[in-house]
């Protein structure tokens, strides 16, 4: 029943374009990776233009548990046009709920739930996202970019220190946070001031701003961090991704060691499955953000993948690793990253991805008819000034897309595209 209602709500929201464009949680075609890819793209392009970027990550206290039912129902009615029997059903769904704690088969007394949305449910997360939609309006008022993933909220702003006094930008950000805190109080939510994180992305020229800028959030003064963890990905203040690579290697090697301990007792097929689930999944998580990182960092990730292959086939360190990777049909790390970027590009161009990524892409317009080259399916590649700009999705995606054969670019079915793309990259990696 919840899934039926969730589908009806989604259809209604999509038909009237009522959803916040930059809310990525619990939406088809959206994910933590697409959210981070847009945030990273905006930061890289700003730094490519010589700007400094302030990123503020807010933390809500027990967000799902303190949603006021009356405020939520009023918002559904006034902002999203959900009325009549539909609204009555949601009110019935939220009311008369109880909870208890069970320890060793013993239950505590039941407690009535007068607020909050059910966690672990289908509707709960969707209702929470609708409840917090006005937070995006606050960012727009203060001319700040924002992106949300459920209760993870982040606001960021770019500025050129040559043209704008950094103190004025800090004041602008503080005003935005002040209005967010005010909205939280009015809607009976709580912002954890001491858990709010701040990071300043700047080139070497303005590196002093990465440590000198400070923000006052409530009664807390926040200083910039050298790196932050954003939806499971580590961003450092140069956006070099070295902290993220180091953390990924640490987690992957931990799993490889555990699998290595039981390798003598399991079959090769089971070892392959464990490596895919516990190691490759970590190497592939949000790997589109690693496009065109320095080769020394990419090599570190490749060594992890090589080690995993050696454990699967019980190879020695001296044994050549390429035959093992081919046998496993594992793309090397650089190709895995390209595969992810191209798959996301395909989804955006075919209407299967988020609007905020699709808006970064546009087809090339030659302006006149060219006999030798067809530009019908060729993407426009924006100009960049630095390597940072080259790494942005808006530049990387068109570059990779245009380099593919036209037969791949013309493909319409996603399953067929995935298979043909992997085969194409596999041949490029091992047979070229």
């Amino acid at each position: 029943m919840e899934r039926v209602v969730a589908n009806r709500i989604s259809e209604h929201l999509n038909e009237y374009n009522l959803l916040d464009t930059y809310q990525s949680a619990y939406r088809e075609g959206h994910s933590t990776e697409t959210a981070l890819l847009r945030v990273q793209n905006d930061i890289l392009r700003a730094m490519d233009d010589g700007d400094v970027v302030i990123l503020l990550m807010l933390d809500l206290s027990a967000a799902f548990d303190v949603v006021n039912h009356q405020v939520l129902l009023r918002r559904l009615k006034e902002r999203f046009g959900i009325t009549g029997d539909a609204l009555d059903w949601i009110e019935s769904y939220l009311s008369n709920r109880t909870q208890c704690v069970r320890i060793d088969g013993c239950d505590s007394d039941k407690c009535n739930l007068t607020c909050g949305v059910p966690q672990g449910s289908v509707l709960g997360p969707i209702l929470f996202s609708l409840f917090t939609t006005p937070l995006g309006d606050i960012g727009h008022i203060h001319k700040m970019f924002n992106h949300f993933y459920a209760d993870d909220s982040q606001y960021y702003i770019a500025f050129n220190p040559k043209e704008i006094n950094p103190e004025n930008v800090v004041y602008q950000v503080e005003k935005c946070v002040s209005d967010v805190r005010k909205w939280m109080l009015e809607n009976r939510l709580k912002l954890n001031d001491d858990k709010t994180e701040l990071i300043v992305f700047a080139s070497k020229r303005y590196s002093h701003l990465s440590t000198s800028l400070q923000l006052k959030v409530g009664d807390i003064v926040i200083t910039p961090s050298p790196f932050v963890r954003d939806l499971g990905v580590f961003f450092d203040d140069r956006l070099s991704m070295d902290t993220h690579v180091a953390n990924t290697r640490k987690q992957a090697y931990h799993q490889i060691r555990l699998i290595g301990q039981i390798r003598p007792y399991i079959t090769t097929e089971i070892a392959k499955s464990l490596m895919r689930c516990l190691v490759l999944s970590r190497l592939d998580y949000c790997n589109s953000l690693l496009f065109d990182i320095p080769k020394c960092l990419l090599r570190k990730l490749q060594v992890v993948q090589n080690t995993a292959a050696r454990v699967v086939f019980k190879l020695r360190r001296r044994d050549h690793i390429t035959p093992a990777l081919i046998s496993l049909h594992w793309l090397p790390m650089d190709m895995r990253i390209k595969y992810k970027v191209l798959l996301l590009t395909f989804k955006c161009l075919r209407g299967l991805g988020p609007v905020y990524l699709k808006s970064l892409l546009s087809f090339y317009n030659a302006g006149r008819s060219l006999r030798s080259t067809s530009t019908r399916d060729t993407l426009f590649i924006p100009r960049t000034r630095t390597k940072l700009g080259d790494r942005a999705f808006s530049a990387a995606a068109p570059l990779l897309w245009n380099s593919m054969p036209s037969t791949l670019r013309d493909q319409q079915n996603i399953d067929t595209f995935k298979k043909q793309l992997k085969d194409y990259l596999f041949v490029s990696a091992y047979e070229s």
Side-chain angles (χ1 to χ4, degrees), residues 2-17:
E2 283 189 63
R3 294 190 184 279
V4 171
V5 175
N7 290 336
R8 294 285 181 87
I9 291 176
S10 297
E11 291 172 1
H12 170 74
L13 297 174
N14 291 330
E15 180 179 357
Y16 295 100
N17 196 27

Side-chain angles (χ1 to χ4, degrees), residues 287-342:
N287 63 347
S288 61
L289 281 72
L290 303 179
F291 176 77
D292 207 21
I293 59 173
K295 291 183 179 180
C296 59
L297 293 179
L298 190 62
R299 174 62 184 167
K300 291 179 179 180
L301 294 177
Q302 186 60 55
V303 170
V304 175
Q305 188 186 43
N306 294 349
T307 304
R310 293 184 195 280
V311 172
V312 170
F313 290 119
K314 299 180 181 180
L315 301 177
R316 298 172 299 177
R317 296 189 65 178
R318 298 178 183 177
D319 295 332
H320 193 45
I321 196 61
T322 302
L325 295 175
I326 293 176
S327 177
L328 290 166
H329 209 66
W330 288 357
L331 289 171
M333 288 307 303
D334 60 335
M335 293 299 179
R336 299 181 83 87
I337 293 170
K338 291 179 180 179
Y339 175 88
K340 183 67 74 63
V341 174
L342 286 169

